[in-house]
Amino acid sequence: MKFYLSALAVATVVSSFSTYAATESFEAKVTVQNAVVLTKDNDLNFGTIRAISDPTGAEQATLTVNPDPAASPVTSQDNPTGNAASISIIEGGEAGAFSVSDVVPNSILTISDPVNTLILPLAGQGLNEPDFTVDAWTYFITSGTNAGALYTQGTPNLQAGADGAVSFNIGATLSTSSNASSVDYPDGEYSGSFNIEVSY
């Protein structure tokens, strides 16, 4: 009789544990974001200048905007010895600025130079009017792990911080026309559209 009661108790315990199991379905998911979020904070501005082009296009005067905001001066001019072309600064320019966000924390990013180099008058270039070109792109890291350093193309050092963000400035050199022209630069705002790429 005692054995029967013990066996009954064990059976009751086993039965009570097996009747309270539950199941629930769930999803497994992942979001892929390979693209870098790149935001323009401000455009590259070469300032206000007096510009004279060489009518033959043989000589070019240049104007350089340094991407380092602490540089002195930020805008500098260089005129050829022949002085057939010249640039004089009336008002200094300002580097372009960009912010990168939502990238892998502490990741290294690469900057690809813009491929377009031509700046034309806003309304289009007139007959025999000189134009400008832009090249010699330079970059200065303003936030992130390597803030305060120039960006190096050969060994990229644009490194995001622990928050997955980094920012940088862009500078470049503006040159007077290398084409023959028969008239002076008309007064007005000259502009061109450029694309910059940041990637892993």
Side-chain angles (χ1 to χ4, degrees), residues 32-101:
V32 174
Q33 182 176 306
N34 288 329
V36 172
V37 178
L38 179 63
T39 303
K40 180 186 70 176
D41 298 320
N42 60 265
D43 289 311
L44 172 62
N45 185 354
F46 287 96
T48 303
I49 62 172
R50 177 177 184 263
I52 299 173
S53 67
D54 178 0
T56 68
E59 290 184 354
Q60 286 78 48
T62 59
L63 178 75
T64 299
V65 172
N66 194 317
D68 182 354
S72 182
V74 171
T75 310
S76 59
Q77 65 198 36
D78 186 15
N79 295 315
T81 55
N83 291 326
S86 67
I87 288 177
S88 301
I89 299 172
I90 298 172
E91 182 178 336
E94 181 182 19
F98 294 85
S99 298
V100 178
S101 60

Side-chain angles (χ1 to χ4, degrees), residues 23-174:
T23 61
E24 181 61 86
S25 63
F26 67 96
E27 293 181 351
K29 60 178 67 177
V30 63
T31 301
V32 174
Q33 182 176 306
N34 288 329
V36 172
V37 178
L38 179 63
T39 303
K40 180 186 70 176
D41 298 320
N42 60 265
D43 289 311
L44 172 62
N45 185 354
F46 287 96
T48 303
I49 62 172
R50 177 177 184 263
I52 299 173
S53 67
D54 178 0
T56 68
E59 290 184 354
Q60 286 78 48
T62 59
L63 178 75
T64 299
V65 172
N66 194 317
D68 182 354
S72 182
V74 171
T75 310
S76 59
Q77 65 198 36
D78 186 15
N79 295 315
T81 55
N83 291 326
S86 67
I87 288 177
S88 301
I89 299 172
I90 298 172
E91 182 178 336
E94 181 182 19
F98 294 85
S99 298
V100 178
S101 60
D102 298 331
V103 298
V104 177
N106 304 309
S107 59
I108 299 290
L109 303 167
T110 299
I111 302 173
S112 297
D113 290 342
V115 294
N116 184 21
T117 61
L118 191 63
I119 284 187
L120 297 174
L122 186 62
Q125 186 178 11
L127 184 64
N128 295 322
E129 289 179 357
D131 52 24
F132 292 102
T133 56
V134 181
D135 57 10
W137 308 97
T138 53
Y139 310 94
F140 184 83
I141 303 167
T142 55
S143 74
T145 305
N146 295 319
L150 284 170
Y151 173 77
T152 54
Q153 290 281 11
T155 54
N157 57 339
L158 184 67
Q159 184 172 10
D163 59 351
V166 64
S167 59
F168 63 93
N169 286 354
I170 179 172
T173 297
L174 177 81

